[in-house]
Amino acid sequence: MSVSLNEVDKVEILTLQDNYIDITSRDNTEVVLRAMPLKDMEIKNSIIAEHGFSALVTVTTGDTSKSIIFDFGFSANGAAFNADALSLDLSVVEACALSHGHMDHFGGMEAITKLIGKKTDLVLHPECFRKPRYVKVTEDFKVKFPSLSREKIKDAGLNLIETKDPYPFLGGDLLFLGQIPRKTDFEKGMPNVYYEKDGVEIWDDIIEDTAIVANIRGKGLVILSGCAHSGIINTTNYAVKVTGTDNVHAVMGGFHLTGPDMAPAVAPTTEGLKKIDPTYIVPTHCTGRDAIMKIEAAMPEKFILN
């Protein structure tokens, strides 16, 4: 399936929540601007870091800018607290997108939508609503995931758009990538996670996991994942196929390479990223310390710490 994606002049990804923050690093560049703990020209605020992800994504063409929220973070108020600390006006947001149906990406939905202050679309894959979802430690010890519901989305004031297919939005300036084919042999998803359907226990392939994509004029694709349970190589390759654009300018987001279960995927994922050869690579959230350090060592001139 091929989708036409408009070229834009600029993409800005402002992280509202990630697992890590360093507001004293002072490593600002033309590409990266760090948050300052200032409000009213006084040091009043810090930024909350916690396990979860949320971003304000703005695309600009000429004098026109359009913004979306991609994911909402974990806790009820973490991403919203950071938006307030950064003095952001989220009323400019025109739409929202959800990468997948895990609580560290939808937990702050209600607080963020209150800051948006108007009814907007939320684009997601219909399998975000699988439940019950859980981690099975043993047959007798299962840890449940909080579930997302259509009612919860409606109550938050969002207009639900469910799609498995690539879905252009913001007038074609951004692309919701939809269901990503699993092609590589090393991106196998999370072990020990399950859900139930009609009373039957099924391994949870988190098939809804997806990303959003923009295309910067003269530079190429910017691909932003939430957790990349589909595999960040699968995700990037599918974005290239769907858009028909070979150049990849930036790959950013959670790559879900953390912990011993995912350790075998770190080296082949790093090699896959080297082959794709983006201008910038920005691992976040669930990528994990070991994988982030290995990606930085392999591609130091391309690496950006979120």
Side-chain angles (χ1 to χ4, degrees):
M1 182 178 183
S2 179
V3 174
S4 178
L5 182 61
N6 298 339
E7 290 185 324
V8 298
D9 296 331
K10 178 182 177 181
V11 177
E12 179 179 351
I13 300 172
L14 196 161
T15 304
L16 296 179
Q17 188 171 101
D18 196 0
N19 295 30
Y20 174 85
I21 185 73
D22 182 359
I23 58 175
T24 60
S25 60
R26 300 177 66 185
D27 60 345
N28 294 334
T29 68
E30 291 183 357
V31 178
V32 176
L33 181 64
R34 302 294 179 193
M36 296 294 290
L38 302 178
K39 200 162 190 179
D40 304 322
M41 294 311 296
E42 292 186 22
I43 297 177
K44 291 182 177 179
N45 291 301
S46 185
I47 307 296
I48 293 174
E50 64 179 31
H51 178 79
F53 189 73
S54 177
L56 173 67
V57 181
T58 302
V59 292
T60 301
T61 303
D63 297 328
T64 302
S65 294
K66 304 173 185 177
S67 298
I68 74 156
I69 291 290
F70 181 62
D71 289 352
F72 303 94
F74 194 168
S75 68
N77 296 300
F81 176 94
N82 289 344
D84 180 66
L86 294 168
S87 300
L88 298 180
D89 177 11
L90 295 190
S91 69
V92 301
V93 170
E94 299 182 30
C96 301
L98 184 66
S99 63
H100 63 297
H102 281 172
M103 62 285 183
D104 48 333
H105 297 261
F106 68 73
M109 180 174 62
E110 183 177 359
I112 287 292
T113 53
K114 283 182 179 179
L115 292 179
I116 294 171
K118 61 181 183 291
K119 196 175 187 70
T120 57
D121 291 342
L122 172 62
V123 187
L124 52 68
H125 188 294
E127 291 299 319
C128 284
F129 301 107
R130 287 178 174 177
K131 65 178 181 180
R133 286 180 135 156
Y134 51 90
V135 177
K136 185 165 69 172
V137 182
T138 69
E139 289 297 331
D140 299 318
F141 183 24
K142 301 176 182 180
V143 181
K144 292 183 179 179
F145 286 60
S147 60
L148 182 64
S149 69
R150 292 173 176 87
E151 292 73 23
K152 186 179 294 185
I153 290 169
K154 182 179 178 182
D155 290 344
L158 293 162
N159 177 49
L160 182 59
I161 296 177
E162 301 182 40
T163 179
K164 295 181 180 180
D165 297 324
Y167 181 86
F169 60 133
L170 292 190
D173 288 349
L174 272 179
L175 177 67
F176 177 85
L177 197 51
Q179 187 166 315
I180 297 165
R182 314 288 175 97
K183 298 286 190 179
T184 63
D185 60 1
F186 55 88
E187 295 175 306
K188 298 178 180 179
M190 289 180 67
N192 304 322
V193 289
Y194 296 86
Y195 69 104
E196 290 183 7
K197 184 175 182 179
D198 300 327
V200 177
E201 181 178 81
I202 303 169
W203 175 67
D204 195 347
D205 55 6
I206 319 172
I207 197 65
E208 79 271 21
D209 174 89
T210 193
I212 58 171
V213 184
N215 186 11
I216 301 179
R217 183 174 287 104
K219 294 186 177 180
L221 301 179
V222 175
I223 298 158
L224 179 62
S225 69
C227 272
H229 292 294
S230 299
I232 196 60
I233 305 304
N234 285 330
T235 299
T236 303
N237 288 341
Y238 188 55
V240 167
K241 179 181 178 181
V242 166
T243 63
T245 303
D246 292 331
N247 292 336
V248 177
H249 186 59
V251 179
M252 177 174 175
F255 300 165
H256 206 80
L257 296 170
T258 190
D261 290 330
M262 305 306 296
V266 174
T269 298
T270 303
E271 287 304 308
L273 289 168
K274 288 172 69 175
K275 183 178 179 180
I276 292 166
D277 195 31
T279 307
Y280 300 110
I281 181 162
V282 193
T284 74
H285 179 41
C286 56
T287 306
R289 184 174 69 95
D290 179 63
I292 287 174
M293 289 192 300
K294 287 178 178 175
I295 291 168
E296 181 180 15
M299 294 171 281
E301 74 287 354
K302 299 178 180 296
F303 176 84
I304 294 173
L305 181 66
N306 196 39

